[in-house]
Amino acid sequence: MKNLKYILCLFIFTSCNSPKQLTFKTSKIDKVEVISRYLGKKTQMKAGFKEDFIADLNKSSTVTTEDNISTHKILIYKKNGKIDTLLTDGFLYQNKGFYKSKENLITKYSIEENNYLSDTVQGKLKTFERLQIYLKKEKHDKLASLFVNDVQWFIREIRVKDKERFKRWCVLWTFDKVAYKEYVIKIINKKDNLFDYENGEWKINQK
């Protein structure tokens, strides 16, 4: 009897702590589209990718995160007329919560020659977008991490010792929609000189 109670308690505990997953049903889905947020156009996917893509997507486990710097938007058109939207970088998916897959599903199912943005370009874009998010949400303690080591000391110093200068610095780095789009195009066209690759990440090299 004690063993039975133990097994029952263990089952309940395990069930409660099992990671939640997405539960899209292919039988209820008409089509799936993937849009590149930066290019503003559809990403061409492999023929007949829907079923395998949804199966892999449903294997994603729930995660807790503060950032989702998405490169793509997934549109899931259901047969009842509803559309589910997920923002993703290929690994992390935002849909009433955050879910993470074991592999990059955009890379896996897109046609390589039409997957226009290289890892380098995407890395720079993510850093640039993260900078704008941190500035707008006033997550000032995270700003220095987006810059190369030679610049980090400067940001930390003026933040502590010269608050007015730090405010002006934040304003200079906060781009409006037009300026943001212009710089995104520069990065995509590889005409920027704002980044260095340091410690496995693309970081901003200017003050």
Side-chain angles (χ1 to χ4, degrees):
M1 188 68 178
K2 287 183 178 180
N3 288 339
L4 182 60
K5 286 182 178 179
Y6 173 78
I7 292 169
L8 183 60
C9 289
L10 183 63
F11 174 77
I12 293 170
F13 177 80
T14 305
S15 299
C16 291
N17 287 277
S18 297
K20 294 179 181 178
Q21 295 178 323
L22 295 166
T23 55
F24 292 111
K25 295 181 179 179
T26 53
S27 60
K28 295 183 178 181
I29 295 172
D30 185 32
K31 64 177 180 177
V32 178
E33 288 182 348
V34 179
I35 311 294
S36 170
R37 288 187 57 235
Y38 296 118
L39 294 172
K41 60 177 70 173
K42 289 182 186 178
T43 298
Q44 190 170 346
M45 308 298 282
K46 295 176 181 177
F49 80 102
K50 183 182 78 173
E51 290 195 7
D52 289 339
F53 179 82
I54 293 297
D56 280 343
L57 190 61
N58 283 339
K59 294 175 185 175
S60 303
S61 298
T62 186
V63 292
T64 302
T65 181
E66 292 184 2
D67 292 331
N68 178 25
I69 308 302
S70 56
T71 56
H72 293 77
K73 181 167 61 175
I74 300 170
L75 301 177
I76 298 177
Y77 294 84
K78 295 184 175 179
K79 292 179 180 178
N80 62 6
K82 293 182 179 180
I83 303 172
D84 277 345
T85 302
L86 293 88
L87 298 178
T88 183
D89 63 355
F91 287 101
L92 191 66
Y93 305 87
Q94 184 177 355
N95 178 264
K96 299 177 182 178
F98 294 95
Y99 303 83
K100 191 170 185 179
S101 58
K102 292 182 179 179
E103 55 187 328
N104 188 320
L105 300 185
I106 302 298
T107 300
K108 182 177 180 179
Y109 290 103
S110 65
I111 296 176
E112 190 173 351
E113 58 266 29
N114 288 290
N115 192 13
Y116 301 98
L117 298 181
S118 66
D119 289 342
T120 295
V121 171
Q122 289 194 43
K124 291 178 179 181
L125 288 170
K126 284 184 180 182
T127 298
F128 187 59
E129 186 170 350
R130 191 171 277 119
L131 172 66
Q132 300 308 305
I133 290 171
Y134 289 170
L135 286 167
K136 288 173 184 175
K137 292 186 176 181
E138 296 186 353
K139 294 185 177 182
H140 296 153
D141 58 316
K142 294 187 175 184
L143 288 170
S145 66
L146 302 177
F147 291 76
V148 295
N149 289 331
D150 289 344
V151 177
Q152 288 184 14
W153 68 269
F154 167 79
I155 298 168
R156 293 190 176 107
E157 186 173 86
I158 63 169
R159 186 184 170 211
V160 174
K161 296 182 179 179
D162 194 340
K163 296 188 183 300
E164 286 302 315
R165 187 180 182 186
F166 180 71
K167 284 181 182 178
R168 293 195 300 271
W169 180 88
C170 288
V171 170
L172 287 172
W173 277 105
T174 302
F175 288 58
D176 60 27
K177 288 184 179 180
V178 174
Y180 176 81
K181 188 173 182 180
E182 287 176 353
Y183 211 88
V184 163
I185 292 170
K186 273 188 178 182
I187 295 172
I188 290 172
N189 292 330
K190 301 176 183 177
K191 293 182 179 179
D192 69 284
N193 59 352
L194 189 63
F195 301 90
D196 286 338
Y197 195 69
E198 185 177 270
N199 299 325
E201 295 180 295
W202 285 101
K203 299 198 174 187
I204 300 166
N205 58 24
Q206 299 176 26
K207 295 179 183 179

